[in-house]
Amino acid sequence: MVLKQKTTQSVPLQPAQANLPENNSVTSPAAVPVPDQSAAATSPKGPTTSQASGTAAPPVGGLVVYDKGKVIFQTPPQTPADSANASTNQPITVPSKVADRYLVQRVEPEYPEAAREQHIQGPVVLEALVSKDGAVEKLNTISGDPQLAAAATDAVRQWRFKPFLRNGSPEEFQTQITVSFRLP
């Protein structure tokens, strides 16, 4: 008995080819060319030069998308100055339990007499913006009875916090504060 060895020829698959060759054999994929990244991208401040080769080096960070070895989309790398500007636009949101640890002066609210007579009680939830020096800069009522909310707002405006430090510098922050009113 004579055995014949079946041989297949390696045919590179093109993206449009989804069918197998007629003999139903699977071929190995062709090698995908890797784009030369030494001159593919430049930084926003101009190309950087590799000391060893003298060619332009790609920027560190950012995003570069290639199609068939060519750059089709590129975002510049984010510099530390960009991230610092992004962080100063929005105050840091601090959980209420963390903010409690920074509280150095708390003023208790006075129970409004009209609310006491009407037996109104319950929590008031406020959103507070605390400045870099620890003063309550802005308050918004999230929930609670309007009479109780006015008393809670008057008290919380007088609260003082230790400055919240981020990377060694004070930052403004926002947090939620819950003030509970209970009748005896």
Side-chain angles (χ1 to χ4, degrees), residues 2 25 29 38 61 63 90 94 135 147 154 159 167 176-178 184:
V2 177
S25 65
S38 64
L63 173 69
Q90 293 289 328
V94 175
Q147 293 178 50
D154 291 341
W159 290 13
N167 297 329
Q176 284 191 357
I177 298 172
T178 302

Side-chain angles (χ1 to χ4, degrees), residues 109-110 112 124 126 141 144-157 181:
E110 291 194 27
V124 174
L126 303 171
T141 303
D145 181 85
Q147 293 178 50
L148 300 178
T153 301
D154 291 341
V156 173
R157 277 195 203 287
F181 289 86

